[in-house]
Amino acid sequence: MFRERVLAAITLSGAIVAASAIVLETLPDGTVLVFGLGDGGIVREAYPYFSLVPYGFGNFGPFLAAILTCAALTVSVLSVFWYHKWIAAMWVHFSGGAFICSLMPIWFGVMHLTAVGVAIALALAAEFVLALSGWRIFARKIEFDKIFH
């Protein structure tokens, strides 16, 4: 009974963290494109994670992170009501993929980072840790049930 309550708390908090990450991803300062001018200057333009403009310029990480975050939110909300082995695996993989994709703008340099982008990466890291914790608790529950029942 205690494990089920802890698991429900973890999945609910994971859903809340995923929802907050999606709210952050809709903000217009999520990702940055840096354009060079002819006179040697640069122009930085900010876009939300759901915009296809950075994707068109080769910065595909933020858009993929946004899509995977939506998938992770769907799976985490589903896992609040019905937790199963394959749901746990999907939640871990979607949240881990979203976290890795949110770090992809670092490949282009520090100029492509924003405070909102760092907050999104931290939120997705927290969601990934929650997904791993829930998966591990659920795996131990299965082992316990196999041994003692």
Side-chain angles (χ1 to χ4, degrees), residues 51-64:
S51 175
L52 289 175
V53 174
Y55 187 84
F57 280 99
N59 191 0
F60 56 88
F63 184 69
L64 292 177

Side-chain angles (χ1 to χ4, degrees), residues 111-124:
M111 290 188 65
H112 290 267
L113 291 179
T114 62
V116 175
V118 172
I120 291 168
L122 291 175
L124 292 175

Side-chain angles (χ1 to χ4, degrees), residues 17 21 24 99 102-103 115-129:
V17 170
L24 287 171
F99 172 62
S102 72
L103 296 177
V116 175
V118 172
I120 291 168
L122 291 175
L124 292 175
E127 182 187 5
F128 183 57
V129 168

Side-chain angles (χ1 to χ4, degrees), residues 23-135:
V23 168
L24 287 171
E25 288 171 350
T26 59
L27 295 177
D29 295 353
T31 187
V32 173
L33 290 178
V34 179
F35 297 103
L37 298 175
D39 60 357
I42 58 169
V43 174
R44 291 182 73 202
E45 291 188 20
Y47 296 95
Y49 267 47
F50 288 100
S51 175
L52 289 175
V53 174
Y55 187 84
F57 280 99
N59 191 0
F60 56 88
F63 184 69
L64 292 177
I67 297 299
L68 288 171
T69 305
C70 290
L73 175 65
T74 304
V75 171
S76 63
V77 167
L78 180 64
S79 67
V80 169
F81 301 108
W82 184 59
Y83 204 84
H84 196 268
K85 180 174 47 176
W86 60 272
I87 292 177
M90 282 183 11
W91 187 27
V92 168
H93 288 94
F94 285 153
S95 62
F99 172 62
I100 290 170
C101 288
S102 72
L103 296 177
M104 284 185 182
I106 296 174
W107 293 350
F108 297 112
V110 179
M111 290 188 65
H112 290 267
L113 291 179
T114 62
V116 175
V118 172
I120 291 168
L122 291 175
L124 292 175
E127 182 187 5
F128 183 57
V129 168
L130 288 168
L132 282 175
S133 302
W135 191 24

